[in-house]
Amino acid sequence: MCGSRWYPDAVSVLAPFEELIRAYLSLLDNVATFLLTFALVYAVGRFILRPLLGLLLDYRGTERTLREGLESAASFGVIAGALVIGLSLAGLNFILERAAILVAGFTVALGFAAQNVVGNLVSGVFIVTDSTFNIGDWIRWNEQEGVIEDIRFRSTRVRTFDNEVISVPNSELTANAVTNAVFNERLRLTVPVQVNFDDDLDTVVRILADAAAENPDVLERPEPVVRITELGETVEVVASLWIADPDRITYGRVRSEYAREIVDRLEEAGIDLGQANPQALEGEIGVVPKSTADDGGTGFRR
């Protein structure tokens, strides 16, 4: 009788363990199905869809900035798609449902706690999709300038001409005026010179115009223009030149070569740059005794 009583008790005790083992085995099967599905979907997206997207963007001649943004979004989409498909096929939909609630709550909290970050992300989307704002462009903003090295959804990396790298928040670029110096096919550069009033201005204008016309990097159309722009202690004459396919290196080189050329030609013509004419004082300075002073004690007599 003891044996007959022990056997039902043993079965009743082992039954929960068997159910637990079956539950773990089912979970392991689901996890294995998820991992296999995730790996397959990710491999298809990474090694088939991404290259096809790259070929399509190459065919359409998409700008590098927009291309990198689309490729980054595609990479994120491949991972997200692999997660969703893997969890669905593995029967783990409840994770997606709970994850959706968590993501919604996290998004609300993030919106309040990180408004600047969200603002930079939104600004990054506008910058990436802006065809006038591309990697490799020379830009100026807030009295700073440099060449765009990388555009991300939070910040833009700019290399200055001192070889420093600045990570500029995207919201700063979208909230301020940004000058793209190389967006168009031509760029105007100006070179001011200051001469004296008694110099031959016709000769100055001719020298500046001839030096521009003889420079192979200066365009004939639009034609170089030389004008007198200011009259102060000296006369300011400004030459305006146009160059093609501009970049920061070409701009600096052409401006420097032109400036050196006009300095040499002006010196040969006997024209000194920016030297004010000396003015003589007439009269005599001396000391006058108080008894004979009739000039208010200034000590100045003619």
Side-chain angles (χ1 to χ4, degrees), residues 218-272:
V218 175
L219 297 176
E220 296 181 0
R221 293 288 183 274
E223 184 179 1
V225 177
V226 180
R227 292 189 177 94
I228 297 174
T229 59
E230 186 176 346
L231 300 176
E233 294 184 357
T234 58
V235 180
E236 184 176 76
V237 184
V238 176
S240 299
L241 325 172
W242 292 87
I243 59 175
D245 300 324
D247 57 47
R248 184 62 173 81
I249 296 176
T250 303
Y251 178 89
R253 178 180 58 80
V254 174
R255 195 174 192 277
S256 177
E257 291 176 353
Y258 177 74
R260 290 173 62 89
E261 181 65 24
I262 62 175
V263 167
D264 292 341
R265 295 192 183 192
L266 290 172
E267 287 182 352
E268 291 177 0
I271 297 174
D272 296 326

XYZ file of all heavy atoms in Angstrom, residues 218-272:
442
model
N 41.489 83.487 -64.066
C 40.415 84.479 -63.994
C 39.557 84.376 -65.252
O 40.082 84.345 -66.370
C 40.985 85.896 -63.831
C 39.861 86.939 -63.874
C 41.758 86.004 -62.529
N 38.240 84.321 -65.063
C 37.327 84.193 -66.197
C 37.235 85.500 -66.990
O 37.290 86.587 -66.416
C 35.934 83.797 -65.702
C 35.811 82.430 -65.008
C 34.393 82.245 -64.488
C 36.190 81.304 -65.956
N 37.059 85.336 -68.312
C 36.825 86.518 -69.150
C 35.385 86.992 -69.046
O 35.097 88.169 -69.221
C 37.161 86.175 -70.599
C 38.628 85.844 -70.839
C 38.907 85.524 -72.295
O 37.947 85.570 -73.110
O 40.066 85.227 -72.623
N 34.478 86.068 -68.793
C 33.071 86.398 -68.609
C 32.573 85.727 -67.334
O 32.707 84.502 -67.213
C 32.219 85.920 -69.801
C 32.523 86.656 -71.090
C 31.970 88.097 -71.020
N 32.178 88.815 -72.273
C 33.280 89.470 -72.582
N 34.294 89.500 -71.717
N 33.400 90.091 -73.738
N 32.078 86.480 -66.376
C 31.973 87.929 -66.320
C 33.347 88.609 -66.327
O 34.312 88.086 -65.795
C 31.252 88.193 -64.996
C 30.644 86.894 -64.604
C 31.525 85.844 -65.161
N 33.374 89.781 -66.912
C 34.614 90.509 -67.075
C 35.082 91.080 -65.737
O 34.269 91.537 -64.926
C 34.392 91.646 -68.069
C 35.641 92.431 -68.411
C 35.347 93.521 -69.424
O 34.177 93.645 -69.825
O 36.284 94.253 -69.801
N 36.409 91.037 -65.460
C 36.919 91.671 -64.238
C 36.576 93.156 -64.202
O 36.588 93.835 -65.230
C 38.431 91.448 -64.333
C 38.598 90.281 -65.246
C 37.465 90.364 -66.232
N 36.268 93.639 -63.016
C 35.865 95.034 -62.835
C 36.758 95.677 -61.785
O 37.029 95.089 -60.736
C 34.388 95.140 -62.406
C 34.009 96.597 -62.140
C 33.474 94.537 -63.466
N 37.229 96.908 -62.068
C 38.048 97.658 -61.125
C 37.341 98.979 -60.847
O 37.032 99.729 -61.774
C 39.466 97.913 -61.677
C 40.293 98.701 -60.666
C 40.151 96.598 -62.034
N 37.085 99.264 -59.567
C 36.350 100.475 -59.203
C 37.007 101.154 -58.000
O 37.629 100.499 -57.165
C 34.897 100.145 -58.839
C 34.043 99.659 -59.994
C 32.594 99.593 -59.548
N 31.697 99.208 -60.639
C 31.308 97.970 -60.879
N 31.750 96.983 -60.103
N 30.494 97.700 -61.872
N 36.812 102.481 -57.943
C 37.181 103.243 -56.747
C 35.991 103.169 -55.799
O 34.877 103.555 -56.146
C 37.510 104.698 -57.095
C 38.736 104.762 -58.015
C 37.754 105.522 -55.838
C 39.046 106.154 -58.527
N 36.221 102.659 -54.592
C 35.108 102.403 -53.675
C 35.067 103.309 -52.462
O 34.031 103.439 -51.826
C 35.163 100.947 -53.192
O 36.416 100.713 -52.532
C 35.008 99.983 -54.358
N 36.184 103.943 -52.104
C 36.178 104.728 -50.875
C 37.236 105.817 -50.938
O 38.335 105.606 -51.469
C 36.432 103.828 -49.656
C 36.294 104.541 -48.324
C 36.457 103.593 -47.147
O 36.411 102.359 -47.357
O 36.639 104.096 -46.030
N 36.875 106.974 -50.386
C 37.796 108.099 -50.260
C 37.927 108.445 -48.784
O 36.971 108.884 -48.145
C 37.288 109.311 -51.040
C 37.107 109.130 -52.552
C 36.496 110.381 -53.166
C 38.437 108.807 -53.214
N 39.097 108.228 -48.240
C 39.352 108.568 -46.840
C 40.711 109.206 -46.734
O 41.028 110.149 -47.455
N 41.536 108.706 -45.850
C 42.917 109.169 -45.801
C 43.668 108.729 -47.053
O 44.654 109.339 -47.447
C 43.610 108.630 -44.547
C 43.037 109.184 -43.252
C 43.817 108.683 -42.052
O 44.748 107.871 -42.256
O 43.511 109.105 -40.929
N 43.198 107.627 -47.639
C 43.744 107.140 -48.902
C 42.588 106.838 -49.846
O 41.420 106.924 -49.468
C 44.585 105.865 -48.696
O 43.754 104.867 -48.098
C 45.786 106.134 -47.800
N 42.917 106.488 -51.072
C 41.909 106.098 -52.059
C 41.902 104.576 -52.137
O 42.944 103.953 -52.347
C 42.233 106.700 -53.443
C 41.173 106.275 -54.454
C 42.335 108.209 -53.359
N 40.734 103.987 -51.951
C 40.614 102.526 -52.029
C 40.097 102.128 -53.405
O 39.053 102.594 -53.851
C 39.678 101.983 -50.956
C 39.603 100.462 -50.959
C 38.759 99.906 -49.836
O 37.520 99.983 -49.958
O 39.330 99.405 -48.852
N 40.857 101.267 -54.069
C 40.488 100.744 -55.379
C 40.314 99.239 -55.233
O 41.190 98.553 -54.690
C 41.566 101.063 -56.436
C 41.124 100.592 -57.812
C 41.873 102.563 -56.448
N 39.183 98.708 -55.705
C 38.863 97.292 -55.531
C 38.746 96.624 -56.884
O 38.025 97.109 -57.771
C 37.551 97.102 -54.734
C 37.188 95.628 -54.654
C 37.707 97.682 -53.337
N 39.451 95.497 -57.045
C 39.331 94.665 -58.241
C 38.445 93.476 -57.924
O 38.659 92.780 -56.920
C 40.709 94.198 -58.701
N 37.439 93.237 -58.767
C 36.527 92.103 -58.605
C 36.765 91.113 -59.739
O 36.625 91.468 -60.913
C 35.071 92.580 -58.609
O 34.832 93.473 -57.536
N 37.103 89.874 -59.384
C 37.442 88.850 -60.360
C 36.543 87.632 -60.167
O 36.021 87.393 -59.083
C 38.906 88.418 -60.204
C 39.928 89.486 -59.802
C 41.261 88.833 -59.507
C 40.070 90.519 -60.907
N 36.398 86.841 -61.222
C 35.586 85.627 -61.153
C 36.454 84.419 -61.483
O 37.266 84.465 -62.411
C 34.415 85.695 -62.124
C 33.389 86.718 -61.746
C 33.382 88.040 -62.074
C 32.213 86.506 -60.953
N 32.286 88.671 -61.538
C 31.551 87.755 -60.842
C 31.667 85.402 -60.318
C 30.361 87.910 -60.144
C 30.478 85.549 -59.621
C 29.845 86.793 -59.530
N 36.276 83.339 -60.697
C 36.976 82.096 -60.976
C 35.964 80.968 -61.126
O 34.855 81.041 -60.586
C 37.993 81.751 -59.865
C 37.292 81.625 -58.505
C 39.085 82.801 -59.799
C 38.216 81.178 -57.381
N 36.347 79.922 -61.865
C 35.449 78.796 -62.126
C 35.762 77.631 -61.190
O 36.877 77.511 -60.664
C 35.583 78.359 -63.583
N 34.754 76.757 -60.995
C 34.897 75.563 -60.165
C 35.593 75.892 -58.850
O 36.671 75.367 -58.533
C 35.676 74.474 -60.910
C 34.975 74.059 -62.187
O 33.732 74.030 -62.195
O 35.671 73.774 -63.181
N 35.001 76.773 -58.063
C 35.723 77.287 -56.893
C 35.838 76.267 -55.766
O 34.962 75.429 -55.549
C 34.851 78.474 -56.457
C 33.475 78.096 -56.899
C 33.659 77.342 -58.187
N 36.937 76.323 -55.065
C 37.112 75.684 -53.768
C 38.035 76.568 -52.947
O 38.587 77.536 -53.459
C 37.656 74.253 -53.888
C 38.985 74.190 -54.633
O 39.889 74.989 -54.327
O 39.119 73.356 -55.545
N 38.193 76.236 -51.680
C 38.945 77.119 -50.792
C 40.413 77.233 -51.218
O 41.012 78.302 -51.149
C 38.845 76.600 -49.351
C 39.518 77.508 -48.323
C 38.863 78.874 -48.292
N 39.355 79.725 -47.232
C 40.465 80.439 -47.260
N 41.228 80.379 -48.322
N 40.817 81.197 -46.252
N 41.001 76.139 -51.702
C 42.412 76.164 -52.091
C 42.601 77.037 -53.324
O 43.504 77.882 -53.388
C 42.918 74.731 -52.338
C 42.856 73.925 -51.040
C 44.336 74.750 -52.896
C 43.247 72.474 -51.197
N 41.732 76.847 -54.334
C 41.840 77.651 -55.549
C 41.619 79.125 -55.243
O 42.339 80.001 -55.748
C 40.818 77.171 -56.592
O 41.040 75.786 -56.848
C 40.954 77.953 -57.887
N 40.637 79.421 -54.419
C 40.334 80.802 -54.052
C 41.559 81.479 -53.427
O 41.966 82.570 -53.828
C 39.162 80.819 -53.080
C 38.780 82.193 -52.574
C 37.856 82.972 -53.259
C 39.338 82.702 -51.400
C 37.509 84.232 -52.786
C 38.994 83.958 -50.934
C 38.071 84.716 -51.630
O 37.749 85.950 -51.164
N 42.163 80.813 -52.439
C 43.316 81.401 -51.778
C 44.515 81.545 -52.698
O 45.230 82.550 -52.649
N 44.733 80.543 -53.545
C 45.891 80.597 -54.442
C 45.753 81.715 -55.466
O 46.694 82.503 -55.681
C 46.043 79.250 -55.164
C 47.200 79.221 -56.163
C 47.287 77.872 -56.844
N 46.070 77.533 -57.542
C 45.755 78.004 -58.754
N 46.565 78.864 -59.380
N 44.636 77.629 -59.343
N 44.598 81.817 -56.117
C 44.403 82.844 -57.141
C 44.482 84.233 -56.525
O 45.106 85.150 -57.084
C 43.056 82.641 -57.854
C 42.773 83.795 -58.813
C 43.054 81.319 -58.608
N 43.880 84.413 -55.375
C 43.906 85.721 -54.730
C 45.330 86.121 -54.357
O 45.743 87.279 -54.533
C 43.016 85.706 -53.482
C 42.674 87.092 -52.944
C 41.676 86.969 -51.803
N 41.132 88.265 -51.466
C 41.715 89.155 -50.672
N 42.884 88.865 -50.139
N 41.139 90.308 -50.408
N 46.104 85.161 -53.839
C 47.480 85.453 -53.461
C 48.340 85.779 -54.684
O 49.112 86.752 -54.673
C 48.076 84.258 -52.709
O 49.430 84.481 -52.389
N 48.208 84.983 -55.752
C 49.004 85.233 -56.952
C 48.667 86.593 -57.563
O 49.560 87.336 -57.987
C 48.759 84.119 -57.968
C 49.323 82.765 -57.544
C 48.969 81.682 -58.527
O 48.166 81.971 -59.470
O 49.458 80.536 -58.376
N 47.387 86.910 -57.595
C 46.977 88.194 -58.166
C 47.499 89.351 -57.319
O 47.993 90.358 -57.848
C 45.460 88.238 -58.281
C 44.937 89.553 -58.807
C 45.055 89.892 -60.146
C 44.318 90.462 -57.947
C 44.577 91.097 -60.629
C 43.832 91.668 -58.408
C 43.965 91.985 -59.759
O 43.507 93.180 -60.233
N 47.400 89.223 -55.999
C 47.866 90.297 -55.114
C 49.372 90.528 -55.282
O 49.839 91.680 -55.343
C 47.531 89.961 -53.663
N 50.146 89.451 -55.357
C 51.589 89.609 -55.536
C 51.916 90.279 -56.872
O 52.817 91.117 -56.969
C 52.274 88.238 -55.463
C 52.260 87.625 -54.069
C 52.801 86.207 -54.109
N 54.184 86.201 -54.556
C 55.234 86.318 -53.757
N 55.048 86.472 -52.440
N 56.466 86.285 -54.232
N 51.155 89.920 -57.904
C 51.405 90.489 -59.228
C 51.130 91.989 -59.246
O 51.932 92.773 -59.788
C 50.542 89.776 -60.265
C 50.726 90.250 -61.697
C 52.112 89.959 -62.235
O 52.778 89.030 -61.717
O 52.541 90.673 -63.174
N 50.024 92.419 -58.655
C 49.709 93.849 -58.709
C 50.656 94.651 -57.813
O 50.973 95.807 -58.113
C 48.238 94.126 -58.334
C 47.935 93.693 -56.903
C 47.301 93.466 -59.320
C 46.532 94.042 -56.450
N 51.130 94.063 -56.722
C 52.103 94.764 -55.883
C 53.378 95.034 -56.678
O 53.936 96.146 -56.660
C 52.397 93.958 -54.602
C 53.639 94.520 -53.890
C 51.209 94.003 -53.658
N 53.847 94.000 -57.389
C 55.063 94.173 -58.194
C 54.866 95.227 -59.278
O 55.737 96.094 -59.502
C 55.459 92.834 -58.825
C 55.927 91.825 -57.779
O 56.288 92.254 -56.664
O 55.914 90.618 -58.079
N 53.723 95.195 -59.955
C 53.496 96.140 -61.061
C 53.330 97.564 -60.538
O 53.772 98.518 -61.173
C 52.273 95.715 -61.865
C 52.437 94.381 -62.577
C 51.321 94.159 -63.578
N 51.433 92.852 -64.222
C 50.736 92.484 -65.299
N 49.876 93.334 -65.847
N 50.893 91.279 -65.806
N 52.658 97.720 -59.410
C 52.480 99.058 -58.860
C 53.812 99.637 -58.387
O 54.082 100.834 -58.545
C 51.471 99.029 -57.712
C 50.014 98.773 -58.104
C 49.145 98.582 -56.872
C 49.469 99.920 -58.957
N 54.649 98.814 -57.809
C 55.964 99.298 -57.389
C 56.804 99.700 -58.596
O 57.522 100.705 -58.557
C 56.681 98.213 -56.578
C 56.102 98.010 -55.177
C 56.866 96.964 -54.397
O 57.740 96.293 -54.996
O 56.585 96.800 -53.192
N 56.731 98.931 -59.679
C 57.455 99.300 -60.891
C 56.967 100.625 -61.457
O 57.732 101.388 -62.056
C 57.312 98.201 -61.943
C 58.036 96.906 -61.593
C 57.795 95.833 -62.629
O 57.061 96.106 -63.617
O 58.329 94.711 -62.469
N 55.673 100.898 -61.276
C 55.114 102.160 -61.772
C 55.351 103.318 -60.803
O 54.887 104.438 -61.052
C 53.624 101.997 -62.039
N 56.014 103.060 -59.679
C 56.305 104.121 -58.717
C 55.128 104.485 -57.843
O 55.070 105.606 -57.324
N 54.205 103.563 -57.655
C 53.013 103.832 -56.837
C 53.162 103.094 -55.521
O 53.293 101.866 -55.484
C 51.734 103.379 -57.571
C 51.570 104.190 -58.858
C 50.516 103.534 -56.664
C 50.427 103.728 -59.732
N 53.139 103.860 -54.419
C 53.245 103.275 -53.085
C 51.849 102.969 -52.557
O 50.945 103.808 -52.629
C 53.951 104.239 -52.133
C 55.383 104.493 -52.556
O 56.006 103.552 -53.095
O 55.875 105.627 -52.368
